[in-house]
Amino acid sequence: MTLGADLVMLAVDERHGTLRSSRQLAFALAAAELVDLARARRIEASVDGRLKVTESLGTGDPALDATLSALASCDDGLLLEDVLGNDLPNTIARQVTAVLGSGELSGREVTANLGGQPIYGGLRPADPARRRELIERLTDAAGCEADLAQAAFAALVHIAGLSSPTLRWDQWRARKKLAELAAWFGDTWRYLPSCPPELALDREDLAPGHVHPADEEPWRMAIRLAVQESGRRVAAFPPPPQGGGGLDRDVENASNLAWAYRHGL
């Protein structure tokens, strides 16, 4: 099971048999691929945001292996912000094809939109318990101290705009916690040596038990920065109207501040 497959399963609109497809989902899936590759110890990142492939051996997942191959063909030291989303138009199709091929999801490609991207129909989880298990994982991450992988999953669900369609209306505390986790990832850059002193956070700002980002292992840094970058990209777009799952104000502010600093504004 990959994080990308988890997001695809949550993005399925079971009532209409379609996929909640959006730029938000595409950025979250692009980050999920990097998170999965980092967890498999195929990639790592330095504190200055540079990404490199540490092991080109395939993972066995076609979507991840396609991304790993593309990364391995590039020079080492690419900035993660340049890597994430550089194949964005194909990200959703690559992930959905992988999930359909695994048998976790049934359905078909119906047609293509004006941009040539596939539109799916008849999408149904092969095992209804799979979606329930994902929702339980979400509520667990919201209700207790999540490890880095759990936190990344929860934050990307929020960034993809899937927290509202997935959680019940009365689970507002859980949705708030997902937004807080996304904001926590979004603040990673403020702990790093490159951050200006007036914007920096230090070790005193860490919650008890948290590891300072500058002390993280390189593969964990890749996870942090991938989630942070996906949130920044989504925050650069206006929130969708009428409860479409846009980032909340704190996440948007943190992401925009990181973007402005990186681009010298």
Side-chain angles (χ1 to χ4, degrees), residues 138 150-160 178-179 181-183 185 227 230 247:
L138 265 185
Q150 290 174 314
F153 165 61
L156 288 174
V157 168
H158 178 73
I159 289 168
L178 302 192
L181 287 170
F185 279 100
V227 177
S230 66
L247 295 184

Side-chain angles (χ1 to χ4, degrees), residues 10-11 15-16 30 42 58 77 89 107 115 123 125 136 145 158 172 177 197 215 237 242 244 247 255-256 261-262 264:
L10 290 178
R15 180 178 178 184
H16 299 100
R42 299 303 195 271
L123 295 179
E136 288 176 5
E145 195 68 30
H158 178 73
W172 60 270
K177 177 63 175 178
D215 298 332
F237 296 91
Q242 310 236 343
L247 295 184
S255 298
N256 285 341
Y261 166 65
R262 283 183 178 272

Side-chain angles (χ1 to χ4, degrees), residues 45-194:
S46 58
V47 294
D48 62 356
R50 294 193 176 276
L51 186 72
K52 69 175 182 178
V53 175
T54 55
E55 173 57 71
S56 58
L57 181 67
T59 65
D61 180 84
L64 293 184
D65 289 346
T67 299
L68 180 62
S69 178
L71 292 176
S73 67
C74 299
D75 294 333
D76 285 345
L78 288 176
L79 283 173
L80 187 144
E81 66 178 24
D82 295 333
V83 169
L84 190 142
N86 59 5
D87 191 31
L88 197 65
N90 298 315
T91 302
I92 292 178
R94 182 169 60 244
Q95 287 288 339
V96 174
T97 299
V99 181
L100 288 171
S102 72
E104 296 179 78
L105 195 64
S106 62
R108 66 194 184 283
E109 180 181 330
V110 178
T111 183
N113 61 21
L114 293 177
Q117 298 306 304
I119 298 175
Y120 301 95
L123 295 179
R124 293 288 185 277
D127 181 5
R130 172 88 158 89
R131 186 178 174 90
R132 291 196 296 271
E133 182 267 333
L134 291 173
I135 294 173
E136 288 176 5
R137 279 175 53 196
L138 265 185
T139 53
D140 286 347
C144 63
E145 195 68 30
D147 63 25
L148 187 63
Q150 290 174 314
F153 165 61
L156 288 174
V157 168
H158 178 73
I159 289 168
L162 299 176
S163 56
S164 294
T166 300
L167 299 176
R168 299 190 312 270
W169 67 270
D170 59 337
Q171 292 180 297
W172 60 270
R173 287 187 178 87
R175 290 199 297 271
K176 181 180 178 182
K177 177 63 175 178
L178 302 192
E180 290 172 353
L181 287 170
W184 178 73
F185 279 100
D187 272 339
T188 295
W189 69 281
R190 300 184 68 187
Y191 290 97
L192 303 183
S194 57

